[in-house]
Amino acid sequence: MAKMKTGCAILVACALVVGASLGSHGNAQTIAPCRPGFSQSFYTVFVPRGVLQGLNIHKDTLLSSGHVKFETCQQIEEVSFESSDPKFSVRPDGSLYAEQHVTNLTEPIQFMVTARDSAGKYIWETTVKLALAGHLLSPPVNQFAGDGIYGGSSHNHYQNPRLITFPRQHQRGSSNGLRRQKRDWVIPPINVPENSRGPFPQVLVRIRSDQDKEIEIRYSITGAGADQPPNDIYIIDPVTGKMSVTKPLDREERASYHLRAHAVDVNGNQMEPPIDLYIYVIDMNDNRPEFKNQVYNGSVAEMSKPGTSVMQVTAFDADDSTTANGLVHYRILSQTPHIPIPNMFTINGATGEISTIATGIDREKVSQYTIIVQATDMEGSLNFGLSNTATALISITDINDNPPELDSKTFLGEVPENAVGVVVANLTVRDKDQPHTPNWNAVYRITGGDAMGHFAIRTDEVTNDGKVIVVKPVDYERNDAFTLMVVVSNQAHLASGIPSSPSSSAAVSIKVLDVNEAPVFPSNPKIIRFEEGVPADTTLATFAALDPDRFIQQTIRYSKLSDPANWLKINRTNGRITTTAVLDRESPYMKKNVYEATFLAIDNGSPPATGTGTVQIYLIDVNDNVPVLVPQEALVCERSRHGYPVNITASDLDSEPNAGPYVFELPSYPSSARRNWTISRLNGNYAQLKLRIPYLEAGMYRVPILVSDSGNPPLSNTSVLMVKVCPCDENGDCTVIGAVTVAGLGTGAIITILICIIILLSMVLFFVVWVKRREKERQTKPLLIDPEDDVRDNILKYDEEGGGEEDQDYDLSQLQQPESLDHIMSKPAGVRRVDERPVILESQYPVRPTVPHPGDIGEFIIDGLRAADNDPTAPPYDSLLVFDYEGSGSTAGSVSSLDSSSSGEQDYDYLNDWGPRFKKLADLYGGGGED
């Protein structure tokens, strides 16, 4: 055998033993859809002897290239592989490498490879067995019974469990006398069907050591499922070596187990090397396919060709995807509605993709289809497979396969002339496409009959109708009718293959209605130029208007609408404008030398129409205003070496060139002006006034200054400048004492002050006289009553308090004089009270004298009281109280039993002194009263 260098990776073809799938019959193969996972559940890889260094395998040696195959089916983005034996690894391309130095390969090596997706959601497992090429495995014929699974009984209960013997050890001589061991049995996997019904524990295999004849052997197993979680799934009889499963297995929870069997003597000494046991759970069809969603939504455009993909439904089966248990097949159970045929769609049985199979999909007839989809495992076998259903809702999307159609070929409308923004005609249109989409929205265009652009068409967003509106006024005198050619189409282009025209056309006849139009001024505004100072009754211009109604003879009358200064008038018939006053450019009604007036032109139409025109009069300035000195007052130091000169200028209401530059000079009279003062020119508009003499006594001085403008001819004006001359400090500022000294009052101011003082003194004197007179009147005014009888200081008025809540419930009607007794007689039986005012002449009360004496107050009160007592008409009136009959059997005695004569000894004459109210009682008991 040729030797290779360490670390060298030599790709050698490896013999891979792959069995047929469990449950397959003969050599028949079934083409199944792609499912992610290992291509086989058990791999046997033979390592060529050329890779070995003797019997050793160096690190990083390539043992096999691409034999461990994993199918991603373009569903898994990234897969990572892990080996249960750290000495070996599987790369992403399926190549098998030695990660560590392997010292001996005389015995086959078996380990598990686990594959995980990047999200850690799915896990796949397979078993890899390494053997030296040329090494015979015993027994070579019955090693596999299919899909890498060791042949043997697959019944739920093993009557005669398969015997697994620890490999026999024999010695083989060598030239140097060394002895080596060789393993000549490869333990195949143990297959256990899931969901077994027992009875449990169920014996799977029996493990035996060929040394049990010589010594007593104890057997044990270790690994996940035995002494590691999940614990106690597998147990072994330590004496007989029978390994059993204790409960039903679920492949969907765990698909394989890796255990190790041990043989020791009673003292715990290892008698055999541990052997690896690989247990695979055989899948049963115990899971029905599950759809990812119960309702799927898809769409397809109308008029789609057969074979157009619509959507895809997906169902997952938790069973083994490498067997028929996990192979899902799709079919369509029903379609609603059956228009135009019951089978408009088909589904790919392997992928679940739904596509069209027939033509005639029309959204205007059917907008949505409901498809019931069934997923069945066992490759779609309805007899053995499990099924599940889902609903697919297929919406038909709209395309522009229906052009808009106008309801008529001719539309009529009318519009008054000069109207803007009014709707002339309404164009109705029909479109079968989906409303409020580009396939339905109408676009209107005017293709002829409107060269000047008077009309436009706007689309109603709700009804899709076209509104013909006026965007530019039309003139009846120019055109009394229009015929528009209108074309309507959709926003979206018409779909290809549609035999119809993409647009529809119609004619719109519009009649223009004549209306009475207002007169129009040809030149508006009319500009007139005149020099200011134009006298009254001057004709400025003729402001005549024209009537647009050429076919009607009408009369125009003129009037004035706005004339701020009331300078103008207009002739009512011909529009001639004349002045009524002198036009003054300096008037406050002038705005930038322009005077503006507004006039009306009214025709005699029905109804009358009015036009407005504006006249702008531009007044040319003339030199008619004298300049005025500015400022009017100034302050100058009494010594010329102190202080500053006075800057003076002028203002002129006229404009250039009739204003500045100005000429300032001192007049010859009075002579003191030129003697004390001097003027020097600064520029065209300013000059300086200062003292000519070194010292001028403090005081107020009137300095006349002659100012002339630059008009032609120039105008001059002599203005008086009031100059205050005062002592100044070193800075040229007038001192406080000097200011007081200089301050003087004019005659008018002195007179005003004196008048104010006199008025103030008069008011004080008048107030003092009024107070004295008031005091005197109090002392001499007689009292109306005797001071001894004056009780004004003793009578105090207090607020009156009511009798509480019980005093609030009273009938005010009893205090009123009844007009009739009907409402009283109609009351129910009970106590009734009738207050009547006697119908007799009223008593005469005394009249108070106009100028009473203080002593007459008492007599006046007594006379009034006497008159009131003798007045039977004064309230309260005598009352008649009527009582209802209360029945017999009263415990009280009768009133008639009282003997009034028994009181004869009583003297009742005093009742006559009580007044007329007791007169009746006095007559009854006194006996001496008058009749």
Side-chain angles (χ1 to χ4, degrees):
M1 179 180 63
K3 297 183 179 180
M4 306 300 294
K5 295 182 179 180
T6 303
C8 177
I10 301 176
L11 177 61
V12 182
C14 301
L16 181 62
V17 181
V18 181
S21 299
L22 180 64
S24 62
H25 303 280
N27 296 326
Q29 295 183 352
T30 302
I31 301 176
C34 182
R35 297 289 180 176
F38 290 102
S39 61
Q40 300 172 191
S41 60
F42 191 87
Y43 294 93
T44 300
V45 179
F46 292 96
V47 180
R49 294 182 179 274
V51 176
L52 303 180
Q53 297 291 332
L55 294 178
N56 301 331
I57 302 176
H58 290 285
K59 181 180 178 182
D60 295 333
T61 301
L62 177 63
L63 304 178
S64 175
S65 176
H67 280 81
V68 180
K69 297 181 179 181
F70 186 90
E71 296 292 345
T72 62
C73 300
Q74 298 181 353
Q75 299 180 16
I76 309 300
E77 296 181 357
E78 183 178 353
V79 178
S80 60
F81 299 98
E82 296 180 4
S83 172
S84 62
D85 192 336
K87 298 178 182 180
F88 305 96
S89 67
V90 178
R91 303 295 169 87
D93 60 353
S95 300
L96 184 63
Y97 277 83
E99 295 293 336
Q100 299 179 11
H101 185 74
V102 181
T103 58
N104 193 352
L105 196 61
T106 58
E107 301 176 359
I109 300 176
Q110 186 171 303
F111 55 91
M112 293 185 65
V113 177
T114 303
R116 290 183 174 85
D117 64 343
S118 58
K121 185 177 181 181
Y122 301 102
I123 298 176
W124 299 268
E125 293 180 341
T126 189
T127 303
V128 177
K129 186 176 296 183
L130 294 179
L132 185 62
H135 178 72
L136 297 178
L137 300 179
S138 177
V141 177
N142 196 29
Q143 181 179 357
F144 296 99
D147 197 21
I149 301 177
Y150 184 82
S153 174
S154 61
H155 299 144
N156 292 337
H157 178 66
Y158 289 91
Q159 298 293 339
N160 297 313
R162 178 162 56 92
L163 179 62
I164 299 177
T165 305
F166 282 91
R168 294 188 301 274
Q169 298 180 1
H170 59 277
Q171 298 180 358
R172 190 176 287 176
S174 59
S175 59
N176 54 7
L178 296 178
R179 296 166 53 180
R180 62 184 178 91
Q181 297 177 350
K182 179 181 179 183
R183 186 186 300 270
D184 51 357
W185 278 96
V186 176
I187 307 301
I190 303 171
N191 300 309
V192 182
E194 66 173 336
N195 303 324
S196 175
R197 296 184 179 181
F200 297 100
Q202 187 180 58
V203 179
L204 300 179
V205 296
R206 180 187 175 193
I207 300 174
R208 177 179 173 275
S209 174
D210 54 3
Q211 300 185 42
D212 58 355
K213 296 179 180 180
E214 301 174 359
I215 59 175
E216 187 176 357
I217 302 297
R218 294 291 182 266
Y219 303 98
S220 64
I221 55 175
T222 59
D227 61 343
Q228 299 177 13
N231 300 79
D232 300 329
I233 294 180
Y234 300 99
I235 59 176
I236 190 171
D237 190 320
V239 177
T240 63
K242 293 182 179 180
M243 188 179 73
S244 305
V245 61
T246 61
K247 63 180 181 179
L249 302 179
D250 188 356
R251 192 201 67 85
E252 286 69 43
E253 292 183 2
R254 190 178 180 98
S256 62
Y257 298 87
H258 178 203
L259 304 177
R260 304 197 78 182
H262 306 271
V264 297
D265 60 8
V266 293
N267 296 323
N269 298 319
Q270 180 177 335
M271 302 305 297
E272 299 285 355
I275 60 173
D276 292 318
L277 302 177
Y278 292 91
I279 304 173
Y280 289 97
V281 182
I282 302 174
D283 183 48
M284 307 296 289
N285 189 20
D286 59 343
N287 291 278
R288 65 178 63 248
E290 295 292 339
F291 283 96
K292 186 177 181 181
N293 302 311
Q294 279 303 113
V295 178
Y296 290 85
N297 292 284
S299 62
V300 63
E302 60 178 334
M303 296 184 63
S304 295
K305 297 180 180 180
T308 303
S309 177
V310 179
M311 60 193 302
Q312 185 177 15
V313 297
T314 304
F316 294 94
D317 197 314
D319 293 326
D320 189 359
S321 60
T322 62
T323 66
N325 297 336
L327 297 179
V328 180
H329 183 80
Y330 303 90
R331 63 170 53 88
I332 293 178
L333 295 182
S334 65
Q335 167 194 309
T336 305
H338 297 175
I339 298 175
I341 60 175
N343 300 318
M344 293 294 295
F345 303 92
T346 184
I347 188 170
N348 187 307
T351 63
E353 182 181 9
I354 301 176
S355 58
T356 60
I357 195 176
T359 60
I361 298 178
D362 191 352
R363 189 205 65 84
E364 286 71 38
K365 295 180 180 179
V366 179
S367 61
Q368 186 182 71
Y369 288 92
T370 301
I371 305 297
I372 304 300
V373 180
Q374 183 185 59
T376 307
D377 57 16
M378 297 298 293
E379 300 181 291
S381 174
L382 298 179
N383 295 326
F384 304 101
L386 303 177
S387 301
N388 211 337
T389 60
T391 302
L393 300 178
I394 303 176
S395 300
I396 309 303
T397 59
D398 184 48
I399 65 172
N400 192 14
D401 57 341
N402 294 280
E405 297 180 4
L406 291 167
D407 291 340
S408 176
K409 291 297 181 181
T410 303
F411 294 90
L412 302 177
E414 59 182 20
V415 58
E417 63 173 334
N418 299 322
V420 177
V422 297
V423 178
V424 177
N426 186 36
L427 310 181
T428 56
V429 68
R430 289 175 289 107
D431 197 319
K432 298 180 181 179
D433 290 321
Q434 186 174 357
H436 308 293
T437 62
N439 300 330
W440 178 83
N441 295 336
V443 177
Y444 297 88
R445 293 179 294 111
I446 298 176
T447 59
D450 186 21
M452 301 302 295
H454 292 283
F455 302 94
I457 304 178
R458 296 178 182 174
T459 304
D460 191 314
E461 296 181 356
V462 178
T463 64
N464 213 28
D465 294 341
K467 307 292 184 181
V468 181
I469 62 174
V470 182
V471 295
K472 185 178 180 182
V474 295
D475 189 357
Y476 174 82
E477 284 71 27
R478 294 185 179 182
N479 199 343
D480 60 351
F482 292 87
T483 301
L484 307 180
M485 300 305 298
V486 177
V487 175
V488 60
S489 59
N490 291 126
Q491 287 182 353
H493 295 290
L494 191 66
S496 60
I498 304 300
S500 303
S501 173
S503 62
S504 178
S505 60
V508 182
S509 297
I510 301 174
K511 180 182 178 181
V512 181
L513 304 179
D514 186 24
V515 297
N516 184 27
E517 298 178 79
V520 178
F521 291 94
S523 56
N524 192 11
K526 185 178 182 62
I527 300 176
I528 303 174
R529 299 177 65 88
F530 267 91
E531 287 188 352
E532 65 173 328
V534 175
D537 296 329
T538 301
T539 300
L540 299 181
T542 298
F543 197 33
L546 302 178
D547 193 348
D549 299 317
R550 296 176 297 173
F551 303 111
I552 303 176
Q553 297 296 329
Q554 297 183 137
T555 303
I556 299 178
R557 293 291 181 264
Y558 302 92
S559 63
K560 186 171 61 175
L561 177 63
S562 173
D563 184 11
N566 200 21
W567 286 347
L568 307 174
K569 65 180 179 179
I570 188 170
N571 188 284
R572 181 174 178 78
T573 57
N574 57 20
R576 187 172 57 249
I577 299 175
T578 57
T579 61
T580 60
V582 178
L583 305 184
D584 186 8
R585 192 195 67 85
E586 288 75 31
S587 171
Y589 299 103
M590 299 292 297
K591 304 297 181 183
K592 297 182 180 180
N593 300 333
V594 176
Y595 180 76
E596 190 171 278
T598 307
F599 299 91
L600 299 178
I602 308 171
D603 63 17
N604 60 346
S606 180
T610 303
T612 304
T614 301
V615 174
Q616 294 180 347
I617 304 174
Y618 183 83
L619 295 181
I620 302 173
D621 184 39
V622 297
N623 193 16
D624 57 347
N625 293 280
V626 297
V628 178
L629 185 67
V630 178
Q632 299 292 329
E633 296 181 355
L635 187 65
V636 177
C637 294
E638 62 182 359
R639 299 186 181 278
S640 59
R641 68 174 181 272
H642 294 157
Y644 305 96
V646 178
N647 293 329
I648 57 176
T649 185
S651 64
D652 197 328
L653 296 177
D654 295 324
S655 61
E656 301 294 341
N658 296 321
Y662 303 102
V663 177
F664 302 92
E665 55 184 350
L666 296 171
S668 58
Y669 182 82
S671 59
S672 59
R674 293 188 176 182
R675 181 176 64 251
N676 296 335
W677 307 94
T678 180
I679 293 179
S680 59
R681 181 184 179 89
L682 293 179
N683 52 39
N685 294 326
Y686 289 90
Q688 283 187 348
L689 174 68
K690 56 184 178 181
L691 284 174
R692 179 185 292 274
I693 58 180
Y695 173 79
L696 183 63
E697 185 180 358
M700 293 292 298
Y701 294 88
R702 298 169 57 87
V703 180
I705 298 177
L706 180 63
V707 184
S708 302
D709 58 21
S710 299
N712 186 16
L715 296 181
S716 300
N717 178 37
T718 300
S719 300
V720 176
L721 178 64
M722 299 298 297
V723 180
K724 296 179 181 180
V725 179
C726 64
C728 297
D729 54 15
E730 296 179 355
N731 298 325
D733 298 326
C734 187
T735 60
V736 177
I737 299 177
V740 174
T741 305
V742 171
L745 297 176
T747 304
I750 294 175
I751 293 175
T752 303
I753 295 174
L754 291 177
I755 292 175
C756 293
I757 294 175
I758 293 173
I759 292 174
L760 182 60
L761 293 177
S762 300
M763 292 176 63
V764 174
L765 180 62
F766 176 77
F767 178 75
V768 172
V769 172
W770 179 79
V771 172
K772 293 293 185 181
R773 184 176 179 180
R774 179 78 173 174
E775 185 68 23
K776 185 176 180 180
E777 289 178 354
R778 286 185 177 180
Q779 295 178 359
T780 59
K781 187 175 181 179
L783 297 177
L784 296 178
I785 60 176
D786 190 14
E788 295 180 358
D789 297 332
D790 189 4
V791 294
R792 287 176 295 178
D793 294 337
N794 300 326
I795 298 176
L796 302 177
K797 182 180 179 181
Y798 294 91
D799 291 339
E800 183 180 48
E801 296 184 0
E805 296 181 356
E806 297 180 355
D807 194 35
Q808 303 300 319
D809 188 13
Y810 47 79
D811 187 8
L812 295 178
S813 64
Q814 300 298 331
L815 303 179
Q816 300 176 356
Q817 178 180 353
E819 298 294 339
S820 65
L821 300 179
D822 296 338
H823 68 287
I824 299 176
M825 296 305 178
S826 62
K827 292 183 178 180
V831 179
R832 290 178 295 185
R833 178 169 178 165
V834 181
D835 289 349
E836 291 185 301
R837 182 178 181 180
V839 185
I840 60 177
L841 295 178
E842 296 182 1
S843 301
Q844 297 295 327
Y845 289 84
V847 180
R848 183 178 178 182
T850 306
V851 183
H853 189 272
D856 296 338
I857 294 297
E859 295 179 2
F860 175 80
I861 294 176
I862 294 174
D863 293 342
L865 181 61
R866 186 180 299 109
D869 291 337
N870 296 324
D871 185 8
T873 62
Y877 314 122
D878 291 338
S879 302
L880 175 64
L881 301 180
V882 182
F883 298 89
D884 286 346
Y885 178 69
E886 298 181 352
S888 61
S890 175
T891 57
S894 175
V895 179
S896 61
S897 63
L898 298 177
D899 187 5
S900 61
S901 62
S902 62
S903 60
E905 298 178 0
Q906 181 73 25
D907 185 10
Y908 295 102
D909 292 337
Y910 62 88
L911 295 176
N912 295 321
D913 300 331
W914 287 8
R917 297 184 182 276
F918 296 91
K919 183 175 182 303
K920 197 69 168 178
L921 192 61
D923 292 341
L924 293 176
Y925 292 95
E930 298 178 357
D931 293 334

